[in-house]
Every structure is written in C-alpha cells, then in structure tokens.
Amino acid sequence: AQSVTQLDSHVSVSEGTPVLLRCNYSSSYSPSLFWYVQHPNKGLQLLLKYTSAATLVKGINGFEAEFKKSETSFHLTKPSAHMSDAAEYFCVVSQISSGSARQLTFGSGTQLTVLP
Amino acid sequence: DTEVTQTPKHLVMGMTNKKSLKCEQHMGHRAMYWYKQKAKKPPELMFVYSYEKLSINESVPSRFSPECPNSSLLNLHLHALQPEDSALYLCASSQVVDRLEAFFGQGTRLTVV
C-alpha cells in the first residue's frame, strides 16, 4: 500500500521569499514521486519527478525537491516565489499495481498563495 | 507530441441527456486513465485502461461508461447523471512498463443541471 501526506493545506509567502511545500510518503516498494501543479480551472502540469536516480531533483520554473528515504519525505522548494506560482500543488506517489498499470496516489494538495 | 487532448472543455447537460467525453494522446502510451476532481480536492481515480482493456474500475456507478476504441483514444460515456456528478473530469496517460510520470489533459468541466 502507498500513501501521501501533504502537511500543509495552505501556504502563504511574500513574493521574492522562499517556498517550502512539505510532503511525506509511505510505499511498499521503491517509489516514484512527483509534484504536480494545478492552476485554477486547469489540468495538472508536472513540475518534477524522482525515479531512483539523483535524490535532488530539479524541475521547471525554478522548483526543486529532495528525496530523503530516511525521512520518507519529498519536500518541494523554490528560492524565490513569483506571483505566477500561486496555485494548488499535489505530491504524488506512483508504483506498479495490478494488471501492469501504474497507479498514482495523490496527496490532498497544498494551496500556495503569493502575496505582493 | 507530449499532449493529452480532451474535448469538450466545458459541457452542460441535463439529467436525461446522453453525452460523451473524449481524450486523445499520440505518445504511444498504453495506459490511460479517467479521474474525477471536485473543487478543492485531489483527483479521484475512476478507470484505468491498460493495452486497451479495462484494468481498474474504482466502483464507479454504471451511469459512467468508459470505452477505449484504440490505443490513442479514450471515451467516457455519460447517461442519466446527477447534479453531484458535476466536476472536472481529467484524462491522463502513461507508459505501462516504466514508472514514469502521467501526462494529464486540461480536463472537461462538466455541469449537470
């Protein structure tokens, strides 16, 4: 079984300050982990992914995340927030399930607000 | 081409109507998914198709009927829906054998009146 916990439902930062969105996971196997972003009334866009290569993963728009197996964490960070970063962020864990189809398990989401 | 295309973008239907949502991808992916997303919630998995065969049905009511005519297309047929079925319906695809990311479409915003 696998699960994802996003520790904050809402995060508010000022423009130009760092962003930290926290995610913890549990998985029976070596997981693949992802962060997706969803702007209002839009689909999900992949920010970055971890698939058992480098533990520090760089994504689009200046985001990065570090896989820490000992802490079962995959926190998302960005050095300097931009107004356009305001959106809903989902941490997702993935593993092979029945029928050789991959299943994604979503966290509950973190709403990021960026203040001017 | 790394796009998943969903049509229509918006759909308003009555409770006695029959309509279909369409999803298309040309990435050679062999797994395709339907998700339902209510406001302020994460997507909920509805169906998974693997190699054009229904692999997972997450106990979805029969008023939702999926169809996978070929490896590039995925449909969701809707009949006799309820107002509580109003939501954003997302299609996604992924490679089956590798644990790679899923690509999502922009979704269909469905309103049942």
Side-chain angles (χ1 to χ4, degrees), chain A residues 24-46:
Chain A
N24 286 99
Y25 71 92
S26 68
S27 176
S28 305
Y29 307 98
S30 296
S32 295
L33 292 159
F34 310 91
W35 277 98
Y36 285 87
V37 61
Q38 186 176 32
H39 289 90
N41 298 311
K42 299 290 187 183
L44 280 74
Q45 181 185 17
L46 180 69

Side-chain angles (χ1 to χ4, degrees), chain A residues 30 36 38 41 49 100 102, chain B residues 33 37 94 96 99-100 102:
Chain A
S30 296
Y36 285 87
Q38 186 176 32
N41 298 311
K49 62 182 178 182
S100 298
R102 199 165 50 80
Chain B
Y33 311 78
Q37 187 180 26
S94 66
V96 174
R99 293 185 294 175
L100 298 179

